[in-house]
Amino acid sequence: MRLLFIQIRGYTTNVASSFNSLISRYARLGQIHNARKVFDEMPQRNIVSWNSIVAAYFQNNQPGDARKLFDKMPERNLISWNALVSGYIKNGMLGEARQVFDSMPERNVVSWTTMVRGYVQEGMVLEAESLFWQMPDKNVVSWTVMLGGLIQARRIDDAHRLFNEMPEKDMVARTNMIGGYCQEGRLNEARMIFDDMPCRNVVSWTTMISGYVQNQRVDVARKLFEVMPEKNEVSWTAMLMGYTQCGRIQEASELFEVMPIKSVIACNAMILAFGQSGEVDKSRRIFDQMIEKNEVTWNGMIKVYERNGLELQALDLFASMQRHRVKLNFPSLISVLSVCASLASLDHGKQVHCQLLRSHFDNDVYVASVLITMYVKCGNLEKAKLVFDRFGEKDVVMWNSIITGYAQHGLGEETLQIFHEMCSLGLEPNDITFIGVLSACSYTGKVEEGLEIFETMKCKYLVEPRTEHYACMVDLLGRAGQVNEAMNLIKKMPVEADAIVWGSLLGACKTHMKMDLAEVAAKKLQQLEPRSSGPYILLSHMYATKGRWGDVEELRSDMRARSVSKSPGCSWIEVDKNVHMFTGGDSMGHPEHLIILRMLDRLGVLLREAGYNPDGTFVMHDVDEEEKVHSLQYHSEKLAVAYGLLKVPETMPIRVMKNLRVCGDCHSAIKLIAKVTGREIILRDANRFHHFKDGLCSCKDYW
């Protein structure tokens, strides 16, 4: 009979153990209802069963239900109480955990250590420290948890004192101290602990190597890395990150090639590293070879395309990311917004805006600023202002975004009005604010207002003028025809004039045909930026206008001798989320070139009837008038406008972007195109926006 009882009890215990394991399994899978069903259907429950189901509810973030079950337990042991404290801590309910801890009928070292760990995890190191010193008994885990808290709080000297008091220093404690010292840049002290360790594991080695890496001691890290008895994925990745973070891409590449296992983190680091050095193909090769990709991988590759001016590829990859159902997160959305702004891709920009709304990122002030910039650069100023107006607490960055936007659209009065509104609300303008305001004055010929604001920058707003502000003032005076005054301002500048300043002067000289100062400005620019084609092109235009073809050819020879190449003029337009590129003179480059040419011919007839006379001065070749007219007809902005007339619905404005400044002939032609077709055309060039409507331009021909 006794043997039978033992067998039955053993069978019952085994059954209960199986049920308890099943409860724990369902809890890990997040199937709390199934776990509860198993518990409710158990023929017999023991204290382990109750502990399991209470822990299951805590594990599934249902602390209220866990507490109800705890209170119903027919009996509790120390494990039950410790599990209740631990469960509350895991659910971030530190106050409830402490109440339970204080009411426990008995405590052991696990109870005390759990509570101390809870305070440390929440950053409440003083509370953890107070409780730690009250502990009647401490084990090596207790000491190590408290040590980690002090290191986390950057109290490295207190951590050092505690470390010295520890009766037993295990490998974890020593490794923590190494990491703490490295975090503070105290590498010699870290190395002393490392060298004194009776035994080391791969974590200890990796922590010391990472410490050297974090403190830019990459060569020392590499020496230590080479003598490691064994290396794991983390060790290799730490060493690789050392090279990428300090820009030593060649050494990073060589190490990456011999890595036995290329972790996702390592691949992501190399994608960005190659991208930063302009080796986009290598970045993409790694991306394509990766079997496993995470969000950071996709974000990194999009960022590489964005940073290297490959906006179309960035948009293609973003579309692929969506097709693969990769979670869209903050970095990827911000990168794509920047791409949309660069390309003026309004349809894609609106799509990303919707994603931001769905992800609840739109309440972020930085996101709002990027959205404003995107809508501004896409030529939709109304939508930019709507985003601005709907946002509550605006910071100076957001104000700067809308001020710069209005300035770029040539709305001087509105820009000044927003600036004064900003100041009236008690917000202090910064140097970026004044660049926007002074640019607006420059674009709209507000010389007196610009001079007044420039004078008050330092005395009233305590903002020291930088070269960018002087460049705005040179541009302001130069556009208004006061080129000599602009030159005098350059001579009086307290800092050396840079390429932006001299470029502003050269642009003014071209507008007002001041040949003597133009040659001075061009010479300065050639010294400052010998690889830039800008000064050569502007000066060539001036010589061509005067018929000085010998000087034009001399400049061209000089460019060839210096290997300076001119960036080809290109324009683009977005139609149905596809960006169509056009290059100046290449009337055959688009797959629909035949219908574009027919549209240009029809426009040519309409323009001549409206009194259009092509301005051959914008052709830099010594050719006859017929050839000049032919050349002007195929400027990239005209090709893009023609395509827009064919494809963009009549109710919508045609939005065209150009990488260079729009030429004078195209400006005149597009004004007339807007008039004879009854369409609104928005052109963004390298400097600003031009809104063409009813034969007029928003710049009032002051550009």
Side-chain angles (χ1 to χ4, degrees):
M1 187 70 180
R2 176 177 164 79
L3 180 61
L4 178 63
F5 174 76
I6 291 170
Q7 287 175 334
I8 291 170
R9 188 174 64 181
Y11 172 77
T12 305
T13 302
N14 287 338
V15 170
S17 177
S18 298
F19 277 112
N20 296 340
S21 298
L22 200 54
I23 290 169
S24 299
R25 182 170 176 270
Y26 279 132
R28 285 195 302 274
L29 294 171
Q31 300 176 15
I32 188 64
H33 297 299
N34 288 334
R36 181 58 185 266
K37 188 178 179 183
V38 171
F39 177 79
D40 289 340
E41 292 175 356
M42 286 180 72
Q44 186 175 354
R45 306 182 192 101
N46 57 20
I47 195 167
V48 178
S49 314
W50 284 90
N51 288 344
S52 297
I53 193 65
V54 168
Y57 273 106
F58 274 125
Q59 193 172 345
N60 284 269
N61 304 312
Q62 296 184 33
D65 293 318
R67 183 58 195 256
K68 286 175 187 174
L69 278 169
F70 178 84
D71 291 338
K72 289 180 182 178
M73 287 178 72
E75 61 173 319
R76 306 181 189 98
N77 59 13
L78 188 54
I79 294 172
S80 313
W81 285 95
N82 284 344
L84 188 63
V85 173
S86 176
Y88 275 134
I89 286 171
K90 286 174 183 173
N91 281 266
M93 302 167 71
L94 209 56
E96 289 82 351
R98 183 58 191 261
Q99 286 178 0
V100 173
F101 176 82
D102 289 339
S103 64
M104 287 176 71
E106 62 171 318
R107 308 183 193 102
N108 62 4
V109 70
V110 175
S111 321
W112 286 87
T113 304
T114 300
M115 199 65 233
V116 170
R117 191 192 303 275
Y119 281 127
V120 166
Q121 287 172 351
E122 293 297 318
M124 301 168 68
V125 179
L126 290 175
E127 290 82 351
E129 199 173 10
S130 172
L131 197 64
F132 174 79
W133 291 115
Q134 295 174 41
M135 286 179 69
D137 296 303
K138 305 177 184 71
N139 62 13
V140 68
V141 177
S142 319
W143 285 93
T144 303
V145 167
M146 192 64 245
L147 182 73
L150 293 171
I151 292 169
Q152 177 185 307
R154 308 294 288 258
R155 291 168 54 186
I156 193 66
D157 290 326
D158 292 333
H160 174 73
R161 283 189 285 273
L162 188 76
F163 182 74
N164 288 338
E165 287 185 47
M166 289 178 70
E168 180 187 351
K169 300 176 181 65
D170 66 0
M171 198 180 300
V172 175
R174 293 173 193 271
T175 303
N176 283 354
M177 274 308 297
I178 291 169
Y181 275 130
C182 290
Q183 184 178 265
E184 300 300 320
R186 292 160 66 168
L187 294 173
N188 290 337
E189 290 157 287
R191 186 60 186 262
M192 282 175 62
I193 294 174
F194 178 80
D195 289 340
D196 289 341
M197 287 180 76
C199 61
R200 310 180 191 101
N201 62 8
V202 69
V203 178
S204 313
W205 283 88
T206 304
T207 302
M208 192 67 242
I209 287 167
S210 297
Y212 281 123
V213 163
Q214 290 159 10
N215 288 275
Q216 288 78 52
R217 300 278 300 278
V218 183
D219 292 323
V220 180
R222 184 59 188 263
K223 287 177 183 175
L224 202 60
F225 178 80
E226 292 297 340
V227 297
M228 276 183 79
E230 63 170 309
K231 305 175 181 73
N232 63 10
E233 189 178 296
V234 180
S235 320
W236 283 93
T237 303
M239 191 63 245
L240 181 80
M241 299 289 276
Y243 283 130
T244 60
Q245 285 166 7
C246 64
R248 291 164 63 171
I249 310 302
Q250 183 58 39
E251 288 154 300
S253 178
E254 290 168 2
L255 188 71
F256 183 73
E257 287 299 318
V258 297
M259 284 178 73
I261 298 174
K262 295 175 175 60
S263 67
V264 174
I265 296 173
C267 291
N268 292 346
M270 286 308 301
I271 286 171
L272 289 173
F274 280 132
Q276 285 167 1
S277 63
E279 298 180 274
V280 180
D281 290 342
K282 290 183 179 179
S283 293
R284 186 60 196 245
R285 197 175 304 124
I286 293 171
F287 178 87
D288 290 336
Q289 289 171 353
M290 289 174 70
I291 298 169
E292 180 189 350
K293 300 179 180 75
N294 60 14
E295 295 166 24
V296 179
T297 313
W298 289 87
N299 297 340
M301 196 63 232
I302 289 172
K303 176 64 71 177
V304 166
Y305 280 138
E306 180 214 334
R307 290 279 173 87
N308 285 277
L310 299 168
E311 288 89 357
L312 291 175
Q313 289 89 328
L315 284 183
D316 285 344
L317 194 63
F318 179 66
S320 177
M321 186 179 179
Q322 291 177 292
R323 287 194 298 273
H324 283 81
R325 300 188 182 281
V326 180
K327 182 182 176 184
L328 300 174
N329 58 13
F330 190 85
S332 62
L333 291 169
I334 292 299
S335 291
V336 173
L337 267 186
S338 298
V339 168
C340 293
S342 296
L343 278 178
S345 177
L346 186 58
D347 288 343
H348 280 99
K350 286 178 178 177
Q351 182 185 348
V352 175
H353 190 177
C354 290
Q355 296 281 1
L356 287 165
L357 288 168
R358 282 195 287 271
S359 306
H360 304 292
F361 289 137
D362 59 306
N363 292 324
D364 184 279
V365 67
Y366 173 70
V367 171
S369 299
V370 177
L371 274 171
I372 290 168
T373 301
M374 184 274 293
Y375 280 120
V376 164
K377 290 190 173 181
C378 289
N380 195 332
L381 197 56
E382 296 80 9
K383 188 68 175 177
K385 189 65 163 62
L386 199 62
V387 173
F388 178 81
D389 289 338
R390 284 181 176 175
F391 206 88
E393 293 294 323
K394 305 174 182 72
D395 67 356
V396 68
V397 177
M398 191 180 291
W399 283 93
N400 288 347
S401 297
I402 199 70
I403 284 171
T404 303
Y406 271 83
Q408 288 173 341
H409 283 262
L411 299 171
E413 288 290 347
E414 292 84 346
T415 304
L416 291 174
Q417 184 180 334
I418 295 170
F419 170 68
H420 292 310
E421 182 187 346
M422 173 188 175
C423 296
S424 69
L425 292 171
L427 234 71
E428 291 291 331
N430 61 17
D431 55 337
I432 306 297
T433 316
F434 285 105
I435 292 172
V437 174
L438 292 174
S439 296
C441 293
S442 174
Y443 291 153
T444 51
K446 293 182 177 297
V447 178
E448 289 183 11
E449 293 91 335
L451 287 168
E452 183 183 343
I453 290 167
F454 184 71
E455 289 300 322
T456 58
M457 265 182 68
K458 187 174 181 180
C459 61
K460 184 177 179 180
Y461 298 103
L462 306 178
V463 175
E464 193 72 37
R466 296 191 288 115
T467 50
E468 292 91 339
H469 302 104
Y470 281 101
C472 289
M473 293 308 297
V474 169
D475 195 54
L476 172 71
L477 294 168
R479 283 177 189 270
Q482 301 178 29
V483 183
N484 291 327
E485 289 82 347
M487 185 65 193
N488 289 335
L489 181 64
I490 293 175
K491 291 175 180 176
K492 292 176 184 176
M493 281 175 60
V495 291
E496 191 71 28
D498 64 4
I500 301 172
V501 175
W502 287 111
S504 298
L505 182 67
L506 182 56
C509 290
K510 179 184 179 295
T511 301
H512 299 284
M513 293 308 293
K514 295 282 288 186
M515 192 64 75
D516 54 341
L517 286 180
E519 289 173 337
V520 172
K523 188 175 180 181
K524 287 283 187 181
L525 281 166
Q526 287 162 3
Q527 292 169 357
L528 291 167
E529 294 183 340
R531 305 289 296 174
S532 173
S533 63
Y536 292 96
I537 304 305
L538 282 175
L539 205 53
S540 292
H541 272 298
M542 295 180 73
Y543 286 147
T545 303
K546 294 287 187 182
R548 293 168 57 177
W549 299 109
D551 291 324
V552 171
E553 186 51 43
E554 189 178 329
L555 275 177
R556 288 180 173 276
S557 299
D558 195 17
M559 286 177 71
R560 286 192 291 271
R562 294 169 182 256
S563 300
V564 175
S565 59
K566 175 185 179 292
S567 300
C570 71
S571 300
W572 60 95
I573 183 171
E574 183 185 37
V575 177
D576 296 329
K577 291 189 180 179
N578 290 315
V579 177
H580 299 261
M581 306 288 291
F582 300 90
T583 304
D586 181 14
S587 58
M588 307 287 285
H590 194 275
E592 297 178 87
H593 67 275
L594 289 176
I595 63 167
I596 295 171
L597 294 182
R598 285 199 291 270
M599 173 57 76
L600 283 174
D601 289 339
R602 287 206 301 273
L603 285 174
V605 174
L606 291 171
L607 291 179
R608 282 192 294 275
E609 289 175 355
Y612 167 65
N613 185 28
D615 189 347
T617 60
F618 291 97
V619 180
M620 284 201 307
H621 305 287
D622 187 10
V623 295
D624 62 32
E625 289 301 315
E626 186 178 345
E627 286 184 75
K628 287 182 180 180
V629 170
H630 183 80
S631 175
L632 288 169
Q633 186 178 8
Y634 297 120
H635 276 196
S636 64
E637 53 266 59
K638 289 196 181 89
L639 293 168
V641 167
Y643 192 69
L645 288 167
L646 288 163
K647 298 292 182 177
V648 177
E650 291 185 6
T651 55
M652 296 173 62
I654 296 167
R655 303 173 192 275
V656 172
M657 280 57 64
K658 185 175 182 182
N659 66 331
L660 305 175
R661 186 175 183 267
V662 61
C663 88
D665 177 75
C666 287
H667 191 270
S668 300
I670 296 172
K671 277 198 302 181
L672 280 176
I673 290 171
K675 182 178 180 179
V676 298
T677 60
R679 299 295 297 269
E680 180 184 358
I681 302 169
I682 300 171
L683 172 65
R684 188 188 88 191
D685 70 7
N687 293 339
R688 60 176 297 169
F689 279 87
H690 300 268
H691 292 251
F692 299 96
K693 193 173 183 180
D694 300 327
L696 301 172
C697 179
S698 59
C699 74
K700 299 181 177 64
D701 297 338
Y702 189 86
W703 57 283

